[in-house]
Amino acid sequence: MKITVTIDQPTGDFQERLLALLAEYAPSVGTDTTWTVPRAENYFTRLPPRAQRIVREAVARGGYVAADDLRDTPDASLRGHSGALTRALASGAMAGEWPEGMPLPVLAQGPGFGKVVGYRMPDELLDVFRTAVTNIDGQQPTAEK
């Protein structure tokens, strides 16, 4: 048996009580951590402009944007860009816009500690975020020159 429950903007207390009730009757209760267009739109609008640019460019470039394409000058730092991506995700979860445990839609790519070489969005999220960015911006995202 599979039961699907969708509750928009649940309070923390309600969500905890509902999950406890479901746990009594279901061997496995999962939370839907799927990116949908409304969730992607909400996430995108929570981002500051520099982080929005990362998402917009990743979508426009097929899922990957090189760090050099985001720098205004060759020596410019991208410090703080990916922090905003994480903060927006946490902020949305705290506001009840999506559940805890949502995956980051864009991940910094690099050798580990040190300079970021780019940002990648998983292929399965491209269409969702392309639609979200188009809905927000009013046109298909195109890579900035």
Side-chain angles (χ1 to χ4, degrees), residues 3-145:
I3 299 172
T4 303
V5 177
T6 302
I7 301 170
D8 291 328
Q9 301 178 350
T11 63
D13 180 55
F14 175 81
Q15 183 174 348
E16 287 175 22
R17 290 176 32 218
L18 178 60
L19 290 174
L21 176 65
L22 292 173
E24 289 181 37
Y25 298 98
S28 174
V29 175
T31 303
D32 180 11
T33 57
T34 304
W35 280 105
T36 62
V37 171
R39 285 177 174 175
E41 289 172 348
N42 188 316
Y43 176 79
F44 186 75
T45 59
R46 287 177 178 276
L47 295 171
R50 293 188 321 170
Q52 282 184 348
R53 183 175 176 206
I54 293 171
V55 172
R56 191 179 288 114
E57 294 281 334
V59 166
R61 296 170 186 266
Y64 181 79
V65 58
D68 289 342
D69 293 328
L70 296 168
R71 289 188 174 90
D72 295 326
T73 64
D75 295 330
S77 172
L78 295 180
R79 185 179 309 265
H81 282 57
S82 60
L85 299 169
T86 304
R87 284 189 299 277
L89 189 66
S91 169
M94 286 178 27
E97 299 297 333
W98 47 74
E100 294 283 338
M102 289 291 288
L104 269 171
V106 180
L107 298 170
Q109 305 292 293
F113 295 105
K115 258 188 172 176
V116 168
V117 297
Y119 293 88
R120 178 165 305 285
M121 178 177 286
D123 292 343
E124 64 271 12
L125 298 183
L126 283 173
D127 287 340
V128 170
F129 275 86
R130 181 175 293 111
T131 301
V133 171
T134 299
N135 290 348
I136 302 293
D137 288 350
Q139 61 188 21
Q140 283 286 4
T142 58
E144 295 179 20
K145 301 291 182 204

